[in-house]
Amino acid sequence: MKNILDLAYNIIGLPRLIISIFLLVFLIAAAVVDLSIPMLTGSLLVRVGMNAVLVLALIPAIKAGTGLNLALPLGIMCGLVGAVVAIEYKLSGAASFAVALAIAVPLAIIVGYLYGLVLNRIKGQEMIVGTYVGFSVVSGMCIFWLLAPFKNPEMVWAYGGTGLRNTILLHSSFDKILNDFLGFKIGEIEIPTGLLLFFGLLCFMVWLFGKTRTGNAMHVAGSNPRFALSCGINIDKMRILGTVLSTILACIGILVYSQSYGFLQLYQGPLMMAFPAAAAILIGGASPKKAAISHVIIGTFLFQSLLVVAPPVINVLVEGSFSEVFRGIVSNGVILYALATKWEGGE
Amino acid sequence: MESTSLLKLDKICKSYYGNRVLKDVCLEIKKGEIHGLVGENGAGKSTLMNILFGMPVIQQTGGYEGDVVLEGNQVCFTCPSEAMDYGIGMVHQEFMLIPGFTVAENIKLNRERTKPNVISRLIGKKMETIDVQRNRHDARASLDRLGMSFDEMMPVGGLPVGYMQFIEVAREIDKENTKVVVFDEPTAVLTESEAEQFLDTARKLANDGLGVLFISHRLDEVVSLCDRITVLRDGEVVALLNRGEASIQRIAELMVGRQINRLADRKKTVQVNKPILEIRNLAVEMPGEKVKEFDLDLYEGEILGVGGLAGHGKIGIANGIMGMYPATGSLVKQGKSLPLGDTMLMLQENMAFVSEDRRGVGLLWDESIEHNIIIAAMQSQKKFLKRVTPLLTIEDRKKIHEHTLKMIKDLDIRCVGPQQLVKRLSGGNQQKICIARAITLSPDILFVSEPTRGIDIGAKRIVLDLLLQLNRDLGVTIVMTSSELAELRSVCDRIAIIYEGRLEGVLPPDAPDLDFGLMMAGEFEHKGADQV
Amino acid sequence: MIPEQKELKPNTNSPLIKIKRKLIEFAVPLLFLVLCIIGAYYARLQPSFLINEIIMRMARNPVLVLALIIPVLAGMGMNFAIVLGAMAGQIGLIIITHYEATGITGVTVAALIAVPFAIIFGYLTGKLLNRAKGKEMITSMIFGFFAVYVWQLFFLVFVGSIIPMRNEKMILSTGVGVRNTVDLVGIRYALDDIIKIRDLPGITIPISTLIVVALFCILITFFMKTKLGQDIRAVGQNMEIAAISGINVDKIRITAIIISTVLAAWGQIIWLQNIGTLNTYGSHVQVGLFAVAALLIGGASVAKANIWQVLLGTFLFHTLFIISPTAGRNLLGDAQIGEFFRVFVAYGVIAVALVLHAWQKHSAAKNK
């Protein structure tokens, strides 16, 4: 028995093991407490789809050797700017989403490049610097949201106020544009086909990139910089590439998230968005030095499942709003574990 | 005058994982004696010091046999602080000084004098105030004892490098019960006058009754300073010389002499008038293996050996040429001038290299054999790619697979298959993968550093044979850098010896042992300097 | 092995270099002084109001910032986990409020109760940071976040359900969880009032609290001159060399964090006795952010800090804090902009300091 446990521990890794056990416990409890499984499943599919792209955004950064990209808010800001501009011009449906992307992605390339230049000067301290650069940019953008000359009454404060509102409804633009695309029902479970297809497409593109010469170079640069040097690979360039790709995926990620959620969250909303994403990929089995697409899928699935299943179960036992506290403890706990562990690989 | 024995290492034996590195080594230091310890790299000096100082790595790898006797009592240290407590001081090659602290603070580090105060009487000794005046006084006394006059309150960071060595010595003698001081290559960074001063310092210490162990490759200093000299070779003591018996030549010869098994053909036609590579004024900034000025012509089809003591720069040459470390100078390959520092360019110009650091630089530890072999060629020479759509080129799995299988067959790599992770292979097979990777680049010049390091005896031969085969059958010009002189002499057509960052000379493999020894100690009187 | 023939370094004590170093050291505070002056001009606040606010903050805030010094000197960077110290202090206050203790006795008892908690929290933090050498700041930051959630779990969910609390004035109407705000009227100004000067119109000077601040400054200065202080400095300069010379590096680092946490606990109590209200789920949350920003604005860096930088930084940061909203309203029509601005400044200052420090560290490592 002990051998089986040891084997499980070594192959699956401590966080995944703990989270899986937690999940199992909660699932059993959910069945006992008679929660609606179909509803949970449908909810889960949506949550995985909408969160997974932000988690996927961490892959290029880890592969390129810059660790957990806690400056995802940089890319998120680009996505929000794209969305806000699309709405300002009163676009709707697929066009609004496409225009938002068309604006956000070039912005993300520029921002990612500049941030990548900074990262090359501060090797080894990427996480703390990324966190505070992200925080600064989100705070600075608060001033922008307040001062920028947007006029669309859907976005601006009512009664002649200036500046954008805290949350902006997307019902007239691209709300659920992906979720509902080709969506269908199996029994009572709703399948957000478009959302899952879009995520699948992005995963495929990330995977395919790894098969190209440049993609290979980037992976090698992150995996063993000195080896990469001996192959003629320019480490700094690869790090910038990883950062740019990560920022692009982050801006796409927030658009995917927002269309599913139905709102744009401005001001302090995006401040902490990097942390649940980092926790998810770590739960999936990744480390700051090694990550794969499977980690993204498994991790997002486990993490979101836990968040979907746990709170209602706990609410039956204990009064009080538990979900945010639970999410905070789980995600920060997982990241702490990753920080306190000596990981193999990389430099 | 009979002097008492202070420290005695008696019949010390040590093996690392079955590899015997020390056999029956005896070393004795008497009171007031300056005892020299000389030997090539790999002779066992560092291991001996590790045992003396109780470095954890010794215990972790199975301990040692034999006795360490200090003033008649047997001791066995399990950590460096214990050795220090018993009075054995070490002045390291890399200065263990804190730049942000003053000289006095460094000398008294963790041994500061303190005064009790109100709070310390309540809480404990840790809260006693530092007695700055008395610490200054002690530091001053130690410095004066060494004849040093610089200010003890200056921050160490601002001082010239030459002073640092003396501060280290001052720290050791400030410790009250220091009996033996070990100097490890102390004059390496000093100027000539500083080195002279340092030797005087050593003499002063001996006169005060301390025992001094002087480890150095500077044979002239060893001969002038030491009362007795122990010569180590291949883990054994080959001689114990008294002052008067020792001469530079004698020591050099003793350090080097061993049986040579010639593997390569003695006669070979080498195009002496057609250098394939001309190296001029090469300087390389590689930490620990700095090259100051290196000039050499490499001839097509030859196997050139590069030897020398550790840290003198032989490893830096290949690393600098291939762009792994910053380098300056000029490089001309077959008439074409190549700028230094661009690894990609060197690979594209058909120069390949196998690094001395197999684990760190040579391999992607967690990747497959396949990946390791082809990646350099894919990146630099765009091999193993296929165009899928007009805009998209991805790796060609089929070609990769075929090529890997061929390499496995040709080089006889013992493995489960091309997908096997490289970390699971034996050292010898891993080295073959590194060579396979180099071959995949279709090189006409191959730099190999430490080709048989970390490989068991049986596999060493196989790797060397492989290199000979490459040279003979594919015509690859090989530059082989190695710490094992015997290896170089058994395989190479010519051997260049590096001393303190410069080319000391080039010797044929069958040159007398004495010549090699003198060159490696920098004492070769430049005979036949035109043979470059 | 031949070590590098290092170049002879220029004499680092020449007057020109000394002036240059002083200039760099004071560049950041100078910049913020200018910002404060500009902001004060536009804020058009009543002088007596401004002065009163500044004095009040110079009394109640510095100890929290002082808590950061020792970990910096120990080479552990900015201790974002002082939030755990603040929480320990708040535990003390919650307990004395529960038992309705008042006045300076209440404050002292709270301070005493907080100590064992702060020691335990500091010990845990130190152990964690020892496992993350080289990544202390991000680890202390995330640990701080984690702790804040655990606090919520404890006081929002456990108290009232698993842990009984009898004082009904402090529990939420549902019966589970501590109220969002806990009135500290029993101990408000308990420390301040001991010696207070009210002579000038509109200005009160809490002398007793200022004396306490000065006392802590003196204690820290004294502490750094002891053997323990010297060991901490050695570890902060170079862990490897300190270890080789026999110093127990891990233990020293934990000690440094424990001291920091205890100071933060007392600092939070001093702060709250002035504010008078405990925001149960919010008072402690931004302690780390504001203290670190203040210290950096005072001219400290991730590797070096002293008490003058603490005092200067507290002064500048809080002045900026006070004038930002009104300046924002008068300049740009919205007080909200001023509030956003001051948060942006806090984050921005830290981001820049982190980049500069990491840049320096990286270049130094490259040139070795």
Side-chain angles (χ1 to χ4, degrees), chain B residues 187-441:
Chain B
T187 54
V189 271
L190 301 180
T191 63
E192 258 193 63
S193 60
E194 285 166 351
E196 267 309 310
Q197 226 176 353
F198 189 86
L199 298 181
D200 281 336
T201 306
R203 289 189 189 98
K204 279 203 184 76
L205 294 181
N207 286 338
D208 280 349
L210 265 59
V212 175
L213 183 63
F214 188 70
I215 305 177
S216 178
H217 66 266
R218 294 210 178 165
L219 298 184
D220 55 337
E221 291 174 3
V222 172
V223 165
S224 94
L225 184 68
C226 302
D227 302 311
R228 294 193 300 165
I229 302 169
T230 298
V231 184
L232 220 54
R233 187 177 79 210
D234 285 337
E236 291 180 56
V237 173
V238 291
L240 172 59
L241 305 168
N242 287 314
R243 186 195 290 277
E245 293 176 330
S247 71
I248 295 175
Q249 280 86 331
R250 179 104 195 267
I251 300 177
E253 207 164 13
L254 285 165
M255 272 169 56
V256 173
R258 67 172 66 66
Q259 274 280 44
I260 309 293
N261 272 328
R262 183 76 189 162
L263 283 181
D265 303 327
R266 181 65 191 94
K267 293 282 178 238
K268 192 163 87 175
T269 42
V270 169
Q271 312 276 36
V272 187
N273 52 339
K274 207 171 49 143
I276 189 174
L277 192 66
E278 293 160 81
I279 307 168
R280 297 283 177 274
N281 287 318
L282 181 69
V284 182
E285 280 294 329
M286 179 172 172
E289 293 277 347
K290 198 164 147 170
V291 179
K292 294 193 187 145
E293 197 191 318
F294 183 75
D295 296 288
L296 188 79
D297 281 348
L298 184 65
Y299 301 122
E300 196 172 340
E302 74 166 327
I303 302 182
L304 174 76
V306 180
L309 295 172
H312 285 235
K314 65 180 186 295
I315 304 279
I317 296 173
N319 275 297
I321 291 176
M322 293 305 293
M324 295 298 289
Y325 288 96
T328 56
S330 91
L331 198 68
V332 175
K333 181 173 183 260
Q334 290 161 319
K336 188 168 153 194
S337 175
L338 298 176
L340 287 167
D342 190 347
T343 310
M344 184 68 92
L345 179 65
M346 300 302 163
L347 295 171
Q348 285 165 347
E349 290 288 336
N350 300 104
M351 293 204 286
F353 98 116
V354 176
S355 172
E356 70 283 357
D357 183 0
R358 190 164 61 239
R359 176 149 189 182
V361 181
L363 293 171
L364 282 175
W365 208 241
D366 284 303
E367 297 284 345
S368 63
I369 295 177
E370 214 172 59
H371 198 70
N372 271 280
I373 290 183
I374 59 101
I375 191 76
M378 181 203 272
Q379 292 301 324
S380 62
Q381 295 171 354
K382 301 210 170 98
K383 293 183 181 165
F384 306 108
L385 295 168
K386 66 178 179 203
R387 183 165 289 260
V388 196
T389 74
L391 287 172
L392 189 62
T393 312
I394 60 173
E395 51 190 41
D396 188 339
R397 291 241 63 103
K398 185 153 158 277
K399 273 206 209 131
I400 293 174
H401 195 73
E402 281 168 8
H403 178 84
T404 311
L405 287 174
K406 181 168 183 294
M407 287 284 110
I408 291 176
K409 182 157 155 281
D410 288 351
L411 300 182
D412 191 28
I413 300 175
R414 301 294 165 87
C415 64
V416 168
Q419 296 294 340
Q420 187 178 23
L421 295 185
V422 137
K423 64 183 174 187
R424 306 226 186 280
L425 300 175
S426 72
N429 283 308
Q430 284 173 346
Q431 191 69 311
K432 286 187 195 167
I433 305 235
C434 293
I435 297 176
R437 177 161 112 237
I439 296 176
T440 308
L441 288 159

